[in-house]
Structure formats: C-alpha cells, structure tokens
Amino acid sequence: HVQLVESGGGSVQAGGSLKLTCVASEDTIGNNCMAWFRQAPGKEREGVAALYFGVSFGGSNAYYTDSVKGRFTISQGNAKSVVFLQMNDLKPEDTGMYACAANCRRHYSVSGSLSDADFGAWGQGTQVTVS
C-alpha cells in the first residue's frame, strides 16, 4: 500500500517562498515519477509539476504548467522516495491544497498536460495560502 506524506505548506505574502516536501513509502521504490497537483476552492484540481525518473519515461525530465514556469522547481531528494517543490515569487493565485502524486501510468506528453487520472497514489495534501 503506497503512502505519500506532504509537508511544508503555510501562509506567506505575495513574493514569498515555500518549499514543499513529499515522502513516499518504501512501497513506491519501483515508482517512476512523482508530481504535485493543487486545488483551489471551487476549482478543479490542476497539475503543477512532475518529475519523471524512470527508464520507461526516457530518464530524468520534468513538466511544469505554464503559470509556474520560472518560479517553481521540482526536484528529487537523495532518496528516490523524496520529492521537493520549491516555490518562489508566490502569487495569490497559487493558493490551494497541494497534493503529491505517484505511480504514473503515462507520461504527460501523451496528452500534453498532467491528468490526475494518470496517477495511482495520492497524499492528503498541504495547504498553501498566499495573500
């Protein structure tokens, strides 16, 4: 049973920074990617960033949704089961519940963007509020 635990959320002023952390259980050792999604109140869940590190996905490559390019960076920790999301120059529209996802079923290039249907494991999320 895969478990994902997020941390690092909080409240910041516009222009500030936060670093989110996602730790996956050992059950995900065979996992080939991890991603971050967010959901604002009254809106659909949105794929923010993904990091692919499996041979089946062409090795290490990343995806960012247009609104966060140049501001957010997804990276892997020393352990394969840890992924970070460094968020800089935060804006009020970045506010939402950020959830970590793993166990990818396909690469984002198949559809051109991240879809929550492409992931088989989810964390509970961590709240990010930008004012």
Side-chain angles (χ1 to χ4, degrees):
H1 177 64
V2 175
Q3 289 186 321
L4 302 171
V5 179
E6 305 94 335
S7 62
S11 297
V12 296
Q13 292 187 337
S17 298
L18 284 173
K19 185 175 184 178
L20 306 183
T21 300
C22 174
V23 180
S25 66
E26 291 188 359
D27 289 346
T28 61
I29 290 299
N31 183 40
N32 51 13
C33 85
M34 293 178 76
W36 289 95
F37 283 74
R38 68 185 178 191
Q39 187 167 22
K43 294 187 176 181
E44 293 186 354
R45 187 157 55 186
E46 172 191 28
V48 176
L51 184 64
Y52 300 87
F53 40 80
V55 175
S56 61
F57 288 145
S60 179
N61 55 94
Y63 164 89
Y64 298 95
T65 193
D66 286 345
S67 64
V68 307
K69 287 180 180 177
R71 300 188 298 122
F72 290 13
T73 302
I74 187 169
S75 61
Q76 193 172 25
N78 290 333
K80 183 180 177 182
S81 58
V82 179
V83 168
F84 306 106
L85 185 67
Q86 177 67 47
M87 305 185 296
N88 299 326
D89 189 24
L90 283 161
K91 303 176 180 181
E93 51 264 41
D94 294 318
T95 294
M97 181 67 75
Y98 283 68
C100 180
N103 285 3
C104 306
R105 298 189 178 103
R106 64 178 186 176
H107 197 263
Y108 79 90
S109 59
V110 174
S111 63
S113 64
L114 295 181
S115 169
D116 52 11
D118 292 338
F119 295 83
W122 293 86
Q124 292 297 314
T126 184
Q127 178 67 36
V128 171
T129 303
V130 185
S131 59

